[in-house]
Amino acid sequence: MEDLTRPTQRPKAFHIMSKPMGPICNLDCTYCYYLEKENLYSKTDKFRMSGPVLEEYIRQNIESQEVPVVEFAWQGGEPTLLGVDYFRKVVELQKKYANGKQITNAFQTNGTLLNDEWGEFFAKEQFLIGLSVDGPEELHDPFRYNKGGKGSFEQVMRGLGYLKKHGAEFNTLTVVNSLNQEHPLKVYNFLKEIGSTFMQFIPIVERIADDAEVDLQLVNPTYKGGARVAEWSVDGKQYGVFLSKIFDEWVRKDVGKHFVQIVDIALSGWLGMEPPLCIFKKDCGEALVMEHNGDVYSCDHFVYPEYKLGNILERPLHSMVWSKPQKRFGEDKSATLTRQCQDCEVRFVCNGGCPKNRVGKSIHDEFGQNYLCEGYYHFFKHIDPYMRFMANELRNERPPANVMEWVRAQDQSNTTFIPPKPKQEGQARAIGRNSSCPCGSGKRYKRCCGKK
């Protein structure tokens, strides 16, 4: 067995998503990939992170991070099932071990159990809440219902009301599935109406094993047996169309007012930087997950026995994060790219997407092509001219929101001007005073944006 305690080169920071309630949830969402993780543990397991595990995790996570700000992420299952007092204890322990570092907390919830006590606590302790909502009631309820089969939309909206009442900061997390994929603007406009200023649109892609006897029916991408894509999964191409239609609305009306995660991530790529989100990085491996009992796995989407790195009560957290198996897990992301991905013109921003979704075949008949490839390609090609414009604005210390005026001018003239790419990725392209202005006005730069 390989020695997991021998560290490789150390990253300065890493991300741990913790599951203090494990997979236990008060909802029974059709597409949830985590509910069945209960099968990995004993039927007598209480699925509640104990005091010793919680304290050890908080201490080690803070001590292992070589950065001034340490981020904690609490997820489930449904973490509100633990009660507010549990997270008051979390805050106490964080203060105990902070040692001069700033501590932040992100908390993902379905919102159904929120009340005044939760709202007041989140606001006071400055937790950032990720609220799961898939759109208006007719798009949310068909897949997101409670154990009795009743839709959860009304409860979620009531919970959101408590967050707003107490001024708790929240984002929305929307799962894009086989139903709401057909209604991008209905979803987007609804999220704006309820006050969401930062939105994540998460594609659901799961495969179901043909063998009914396996412990986990939703299988990992390396599963060798027969499996089919679940009927609730988003269509690969349609995911790109969904994002593109939302982008077209956003780029004309909402730049600087509402933020869409994948657009922000994409802009970093057009600026020549590595995208900061793990699924679009060249390599991954610095975003792990810890279960309620202290078990640490390579990734939230790879909670399978073969990806278990150890337990925090038995091995130091940093030794698992920096272990050779974890390093290999991260490097495999780029090492296993298909030829189609390697030759792709949007690879600089996509990098093959999450390995969890590499379950298709490439144009060269190689297994390992991302199920969402066609959608990602459609979206990134669609936004290319706008990204070039916004990147150029940033390089020249101008607000990227100028893109809205630029787009309106093009819409009125029915023309499309595509700003040039920089000569090299990561380097700003110098604009000569007598060059055509990249805003598309037709004027010389010195007479247009350069003058401003």
Side-chain angles (χ1 to χ4, degrees):
M1 180 177 176
E2 188 163 5
D3 184 3
L4 295 181
T5 64
R6 293 179 59 189
T8 61
Q9 184 178 358
R10 295 168 49 153
K12 289 185 177 181
F14 54 88
H15 180 74
I16 297 284
M17 180 183 291
S18 54
K19 307 271 186 175
M21 196 64 185
I24 305 303
C25 188
N26 62 318
L27 296 188
D28 199 17
C29 302
T30 304
Y31 54 61
C32 183
Y33 66 92
Y34 229 84
L35 291 177
E36 69 168 1
K37 301 300 182 184
E38 187 176 349
N39 296 336
L40 293 175
Y41 297 93
S42 167
K43 294 185 182 298
T44 61
D45 200 310
K46 297 184 183 303
F47 292 101
R48 180 186 178 97
M49 189 177 289
S50 68
V53 173
L54 178 65
E55 183 161 4
E56 192 64 15
Y57 165 59
I58 289 174
R59 180 186 69 80
Q60 288 195 39
N61 193 24
I62 293 173
E63 291 180 357
S64 300
Q65 305 278 1
E66 298 181 5
V67 288
V69 180
V70 179
E71 301 174 349
F72 283 82
W74 308 97
Q75 199 180 37
E78 177 48 45
T80 56
L81 288 169
L82 291 163
V84 177
D85 285 342
Y86 187 93
F87 287 93
R88 289 194 177 104
K89 180 64 174 177
V90 164
V91 173
E92 289 179 12
L93 290 170
Q94 290 173 338
K95 291 177 180 178
K96 176 180 177 180
Y97 293 109
N99 194 27
K101 294 180 179 178
Q102 180 184 345
I103 308 299
T104 66
N105 287 282
F107 190 103
Q108 185 171 339
T109 176
N110 59 41
T112 60
L113 301 178
L114 298 181
N115 54 27
D116 278 315
E117 188 179 18
W118 277 112
E120 185 178 359
F121 170 77
F122 287 145
K124 177 184 176 184
E125 301 300 341
Q126 298 182 318
F127 274 51
L128 173 61
I129 309 306
L131 183 69
S132 296
V133 56
D134 289 351
E137 187 171 9
E138 67 271 20
L139 298 179
H140 177 93
D141 276 353
F143 286 148
R144 298 188 64 84
Y145 43 79
N146 62 28
K147 302 297 184 182
K150 184 178 179 181
S152 62
F153 180 81
E154 290 185 7
Q155 293 170 286
V156 176
M157 291 300 100
R158 184 175 66 243
L160 174 60
Y162 288 114
L163 296 179
K164 290 180 176 181
K165 175 182 177 181
H166 294 279
E169 186 179 1
F170 73 94
N171 298 335
T172 52
L173 295 84
T174 300
V175 173
V176 186
N177 53 61
S178 59
L179 176 62
N180 63 6
Q181 66 176 11
E182 304 296 337
H183 307 280
L185 293 185
K186 181 179 286 190
V187 171
Y188 179 64
N189 288 324
F190 168 78
L191 295 177
K192 289 199 299 181
E193 288 170 8
I194 65 172
S196 176
T197 56
F198 187 92
M199 309 170 189
Q200 296 182 45
F201 296 105
I202 305 166
I204 187 70
V205 180
E206 297 295 341
R207 291 194 307 158
I208 303 175
D210 294 334
D211 181 1
E213 300 301 317
V214 297
D215 290 334
L216 297 175
Q217 284 290 298
L218 302 180
V219 296
N220 75 60
T222 62
Y223 179 70
K224 302 301 181 183
R228 68 188 188 278
V229 174
E231 60 272 15
W232 59 78
S233 297
V234 66
D235 176 78
K237 172 65 179 294
Q238 186 60 31
Y239 180 58
V241 174
F242 177 95
L243 293 175
S244 297
K245 290 187 176 181
I246 288 175
F247 179 86
D248 287 345
E249 182 79 359
W250 172 86
V251 82
R252 285 166 172 80
K253 299 178 181 179
D254 298 323
V255 183
K257 295 185 293 184
H258 296 273
F259 299 86
V260 178
Q261 184 193 49
I262 194 170
V263 176
D264 289 348
I265 298 301
L267 185 54
S268 66
W270 264 268
L271 285 166
M273 301 181 292
E274 183 177 44
L277 189 64
C278 61
I279 63 173
F280 295 129
K281 284 187 173 183
K282 177 183 176 184
D283 292 315
C284 57
E286 295 177 11
L288 300 86
V289 64
M290 192 183 80
E291 289 295 323
H292 64 288
N293 68 339
D295 286 348
V296 177
Y297 292 83
S298 291
C299 171
D300 181 40
H301 291 291
F302 285 82
V303 179
Y304 297 94
E306 56 268 43
Y307 296 99
K308 180 180 171 181
L309 298 170
N311 187 284
I312 198 170
L313 296 180
E314 300 168 357
R315 284 195 175 100
L317 178 60
H318 66 81
S319 75
M320 292 182 277
V321 176
W322 304 324
S323 66
K324 289 183 178 179
Q326 184 63 7
K327 185 173 187 291
R328 184 167 56 245
F329 172 84
E331 292 176 344
D332 279 348
K333 183 170 189 268
S334 58
T336 58
L337 284 177
T338 64
R339 279 186 292 162
Q340 181 179 344
C341 273
Q342 292 175 29
D343 297 337
C344 182
E345 59 187 308
V346 299
R347 177 184 169 186
F348 72 96
V349 67
C350 175
N351 285 310
C354 182
K356 177 253 182 185
N357 294 328
R358 295 180 182 178
V359 295
K361 284 192 174 183
S362 73
I363 57 175
H364 306 293
D365 203 36
E366 295 175 277
F367 182 79
Q369 193 70 20
N370 198 304
Y371 173 88
L372 299 168
C373 173
E374 191 176 3
Y376 281 142
Y377 185 83
H378 175 92
F379 175 65
F380 290 131
K381 288 294 291 181
H382 179 78
I383 67 174
D384 175 64
Y386 312 96
M387 290 292 104
R388 292 196 205 180
F389 179 88
M390 287 191 284
N392 192 71
E393 294 299 279
L394 284 169
R395 290 189 184 101
N396 288 280
E397 300 182 354
R398 297 190 295 268
N402 289 344
V403 71
M404 291 190 289
E405 183 178 347
W406 178 69
V407 172
R408 282 194 291 267
Q410 290 190 100
D411 287 346
Q412 291 172 3
S413 63
N414 198 29
T415 60
T416 301
F417 170 78
I418 301 179
K421 288 183 178 180
K423 292 182 178 179
Q424 294 181 5
E425 291 293 345
Q427 295 182 0
R429 179 181 185 274
I431 303 176
R433 285 171 50 78
N434 293 313
S435 300
S436 296
C437 188
C439 75
S441 66
K443 300 178 181 179
R444 295 185 186 277
Y445 177 69
K446 66 181 180 183
R447 301 290 185 189
C448 189
C449 292
K451 184 177 180 181
K452 298 176 186 177

